[in-house]
């Protein structure tokens, strides 16, 4: 019984050691320089590899500022796409509102019987699905 406990403890220790090694390898692969190496690896095989090597060296010397700049550029692109989508929604809403048979003259909102009756909510929903 005692020998089986010792063997079990040895197996557990060996498993922990292997797990520690695996975690260390994963952490090495997830370091900033490793990620940048992978990203620029294919670019190195181009005629402009000197430029990429210089950029890679700059990233290795200053990884935090480069990551902050990359995050800022990503955030800017995200915001620009959101702004464009919001502008498209506003434009669709304005077009839908223009089709509503109601005169918008100042504070008075008057129903215009000469205009065909529309269902703006349903029309807008159909337009947004299209």
């Amino acid at each position: 019984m005692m020998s089986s406990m010792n063997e079990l403890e040895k197996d557990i220790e060996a498993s922990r050691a292997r797990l520690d090694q695996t975690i260390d390898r994963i952490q090495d692969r997830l370091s900033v320089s490793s990620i940048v190496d992978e990203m620029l690896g294919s670019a190195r095989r181009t005629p402009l590899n000197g430029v990429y090597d210089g950029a890679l060296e700059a990233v290795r010397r200053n990884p935090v500022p480069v990551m902050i700049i990359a995050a800022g550029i990503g955030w800017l692109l995200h915001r620009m796409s959101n702004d464009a989508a919001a502008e498209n929604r506003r434009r669709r809403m304005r077009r839908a509102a223009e089709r509503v048979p109601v005169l918008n003259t100042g504070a008075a909102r008057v129903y215009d019987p000469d205009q065909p009756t529309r269902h703006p909510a349903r029309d807008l929903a159909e337009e947004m699905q299209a």
Side-chain angles (χ1 to χ4, degrees):
M1 176 82 169
M2 193 64 150
S3 66
S4 64
M5 282 295 268
N6 287 339
E7 288 175 21
L8 251 165
E9 288 175 355
K10 287 178 184 177
D11 286 345
I12 290 171
E13 286 301 317
S15 295
R16 283 184 183 160
R18 285 192 306 272
L19 184 59
D20 286 343
Q21 289 174 347
T22 303
I23 289 172
D24 289 341
R25 284 194 303 256
I26 290 171
Q27 285 177 337
D28 289 343
R29 291 200 64 192
L30 293 179
S31 70
V32 173
S33 61
S34 294
I35 292 171
V36 171
D37 277 341
E38 285 184 34
M39 288 171 41
L40 294 178
S42 61
R44 284 182 171 167
R45 292 183 284 276
T46 67
L48 299 173
N49 67 351
V51 173
Y52 293 114
D53 287 338
L56 182 59
E57 185 59 34
V59 168
R60 283 186 177 146
R61 283 181 298 191
N62 307 300
V64 174
V66 170
M67 294 303 281
I68 290 172
I69 290 169
I73 291 170
W75 180 253
L76 177 65
L77 293 173
H78 172 72
R79 289 294 306 260
M80 288 172 59
S81 68
N82 281 349
D83 289 348
E87 181 60 33
N88 286 337
R89 280 193 301 273
R90 282 192 292 273
R91 214 176 285 130
R92 283 195 308 263
M93 292 295 283
R94 250 185 270 120
R95 275 188 261 135
E98 289 169 357
R99 290 194 309 257
V100 174
V102 172
L103 300 176
N104 293 320
T105 55
R109 291 174 177 257
V110 180
Y111 176 72
D112 186 357
D114 294 332
Q115 294 288 325
T117 302
R118 295 206 176 233
H119 303 283
R122 186 181 66 206
D123 295 345
L124 179 61
E126 289 172 0
E127 179 181 317
M128 296 198 60
Q129 288 177 355

